[in-house]
Amino acid sequence: GCKGVDVQGRADPGPEEVQASTDGRDHDEREAGRLVRAARAFGKVSELVPNEPAPAIYQAQAEFLAADRSVTPGVKAPVDKALALSPDHPVMMALLAVDAFEKGRFQEAMDLLARGLPQVTDPQQRSYFQEGIARAAAQLGVPVPAIATAAPAAAAGRRRGGAAPGGAGEGE
């Protein structure tokens, strides 16, 4: 069924899951197993289409989530590959910003979100990026950068025919 998601992006367990596993370990282990399998599958696809950013991005995201939302040494290689193929992709910027934020590197988190924001056209995703920038600025005790309050006109103007996971950039 459909479950809520808390502020940290984790799914709220339904009553049946709480009953099935009072400490949550069984559910967490099943979810981690699914993420590891997904990461492997995206890795295989990425090998088949090595210049296509989407499978590399999805592999990096699955590895990151499987590693409890942290860029560990095992997550670094897929992250680096995805960044090499699509340096400013919003999914990668958000992933790295979460890692930086959770490790107390607020300036880095703010910079990463500001770097990804111009590529984001979806209003809900823009709001997520803007809120993250504002939270990082608050942690640093600095004013919120102008990019976090700017309208999406620049990004929307660039969009041609829909944005694929690889981004809209041509010849980068």
Side-chain angles (χ1 to χ4, degrees), residues 19-31:
Q19 220 170 21
S21 174
T22 55
D23 63 4
R25 274 191 302 221
D26 291 344
H27 174 72
D28 290 346
E29 288 171 12
R30 281 194 312 271
E31 184 63 20

Side-chain angles (χ1 to χ4, degrees), residues 24 30 44 58 60 80 87 89 92 101 105 107-108 115 125 127 134 140 142 152 156 162:
R30 281 194 312 271
K44 288 176 184 174
Y58 296 138
D80 289 346
H89 195 282
M92 296 309 301
F101 203 96
R105 299 188 317 260
Q107 182 66 52
E108 182 183 344
R115 189 170 135 193
Q125 281 190 322
S127 169
L140 292 165
V142 300

Side-chain angles (χ1 to χ4, degrees), residues 9-83:
R10 294 180 294 252
D12 292 331
E16 65 282 353
E17 290 170 287
V18 173
Q19 220 170 21
S21 174
T22 55
D23 63 4
R25 274 191 302 221
D26 291 344
H27 174 72
D28 290 346
E29 288 171 12
R30 281 194 312 271
E31 184 63 20
R34 282 192 287 268
L35 290 166
V36 168
R37 287 190 301 278
R40 277 194 211 118
F42 285 122
K44 288 176 184 174
V45 173
S46 186
E47 289 172 15
L48 295 172
V49 286
N51 296 321
E52 184 60 44
I57 289 166
Y58 296 138
Q59 178 188 9
Q61 188 177 34
E63 297 272 8
F64 174 76
L65 294 170
D68 200 24
R69 297 162 40 98
S70 182
V71 178
T72 62
V75 175
K76 189 157 176 21
V79 164
D80 289 346
K81 179 179 181 182
L83 288 172

